[in-house]
Amino acid sequence: MTTTTASFAARTVFRIGYGALQLERLHDRRGEAVALLRRAVELGVDHVDTAEFYGFGFANAVIREALRPEDDVLVVTKVGADPNPGGRLPLRLAQRPEQLRASVEDNLRSLGVDRLAVVNLRRLDTGPGLRPEGDQVVDLDDQLAVMTALRDEGKIGAIGLSSVTLDGLRRALPAGVVCVQNAYSLVSREDEEMLQLCAAEGIAWVPFFPLGGAFPGLPKATDEPAVHAVAESLGATPSQVGLAWLLHHAPNVLLIPGTANAAHLEANIAVSEIALDAATLATLDGIESRSNDVPIG
């Protein structure tokens, strides 16, 4: 069995958190969204990942309504993009220092707090998705300067990085980084060296797209015959096996699977109880790692 807790931003959290992106699927059923988040807390979740651009503020509004101070949930948000209602994509890049500051203020307001515990600076240097252009190409040092200023002002408690390169992480270490969010899964392990650096530095590794396959053409853990075979032998689902592998792979991995379904939420939480023996891990480790670097245009 793996340890069920890990260090994150100078506290200890349950290794399976909740990613709030999927809450927007319950936009017209706000009561269900609040109840789902309450259920997550009941199941032990004490780490929630969100952003102002999730559902154009809906996710933050649900978190504000559902979570109570006594729940002691670590709410992690991100900046680097803003909501873009009516646009071709639901978000627009917001990488410039003044935009990062404005995004922090937006998150403070929508979450109803005077300090954000952890804020991830969403770079766009790596992984699937958009790449910055024009005035959105901003030097990392300029971004870290405003992030550390916001921390000094008490508006944010700690700084994380997302979609960052190994070189970028090394450059950012002196600023104090508590977590890295990159696309990473059993079938896309390009960032292995960065994961190991995070483990050595006591930095939480919080993979997004933890099962791969977020965009067409990208590899999916749940498509792998070996994953299906392991799932069948354990009486688990292929998704659970893909998530369990992440927990076994390194002790600083934290998961933030998202869902709008209570049964799926319970299945995600149950991953903490799945044991993978050495032979099973060797089988899964033998699965080929493929690139997930497929920009969308």
Side-chain angles (χ1 to χ4, degrees):
M1 290 291 287
T2 57
T3 324
T4 58
T5 60
S7 177
F8 186 9
R11 59 179 282 178
T12 299
V13 297
F14 181 48
R15 292 180 69 193
I16 301 177
Y18 177 78
L21 175 63
Q22 299 296 332
L23 283 176
E24 64 181 292
R25 290 165 52 194
L26 299 172
H27 200 283
D28 298 326
R29 292 173 282 164
R30 185 180 178 118
E32 281 186 41
V34 170
L36 183 72
L37 203 49
R38 288 304 313 160
R39 180 61 179 147
V41 173
E42 290 170 6
L43 291 169
V45 166
D46 55 5
H47 162 214
V48 172
D49 181 83
T50 187
E52 177 68 18
F53 55 85
Y54 287 177
F56 309 134
F58 179 74
N60 279 5
V62 170
I63 289 167
R64 179 176 183 170
E65 181 176 344
L67 299 185
R68 305 157 189 163
E70 58 268 26
D71 296 327
D72 196 27
V73 173
L74 181 69
V75 177
V76 178
T77 189
K78 63 182 65 69
V79 294
D82 287 336
N84 185 29
R88 186 175 62 86
L89 292 174
L91 54 80
R92 58 179 174 80
L93 302 188
Q95 293 279 302
R96 296 197 309 273
E98 70 274 15
Q99 293 175 312
L100 299 178
R101 179 174 283 276
S103 297
V104 164
E105 296 289 352
D106 288 342
N107 279 283
L108 287 166
R109 189 164 44 250
S110 60
L111 287 168
V113 296
D114 54 17
R115 178 176 173 271
L116 302 171
V118 181
V119 177
N120 284 317
L121 167 59
R122 178 71 187 269
R123 292 281 296 180
L124 301 136
D125 301 326
T126 185
L130 297 167
R131 292 290 182 269
E133 299 175 346
D135 68 354
Q136 290 299 307
V137 179
V138 181
D139 188 86
L140 175 61
D141 291 342
D142 294 335
Q143 294 179 317
L144 289 171
V146 71
M147 296 296 286
T148 53
L150 287 160
R151 186 178 59 195
D152 292 344
E153 294 164 22
K155 293 191 173 183
I156 68 178
I159 299 167
L161 293 174
S162 179
S163 295
V164 68
T165 62
L166 180 59
D167 176 65
L169 174 59
R170 286 176 173 146
R171 285 173 58 194
L173 287 177
V177 175
V178 299
C179 63
V180 170
Q181 276 193 8
N182 273 23
Y184 180 87
S185 67
L186 172 59
V187 290
S188 296
R189 306 188 296 275
E190 291 178 307
D191 285 338
E192 197 64 34
E193 189 176 351
M194 199 175 345
L195 167 55
Q196 298 307 321
L197 175 60
C198 285
E201 295 284 343
I203 296 170
W205 183 261
V206 190
F208 64 87
F209 303 157
L211 297 173
F215 298 117
L218 297 188
K220 298 181 183 181
T222 52
D223 286 345
E224 295 293 326
V227 170
H228 280 262
V230 169
E232 189 171 347
S233 71
L234 294 174
T237 67
S239 294
Q240 286 179 314
V241 170
L243 294 175
W245 177 85
L246 286 164
L247 290 180
H248 284 74
H249 186 61
N252 61 321
V253 171
L254 298 174
L255 301 181
I256 47 169
T259 180
N261 177 277
H264 191 195
L265 172 69
E266 293 178 10
N268 288 338
I269 301 299
V271 167
S272 66
E273 300 168 10
I274 294 177
L276 302 177
D277 61 26
T280 301
L281 282 172
T283 297
L284 295 173
D285 289 347
I287 291 174
E288 180 189 5
S289 172
R290 282 96 77 197
S291 174
N292 62 20
D293 192 6
V294 181
I296 58 172

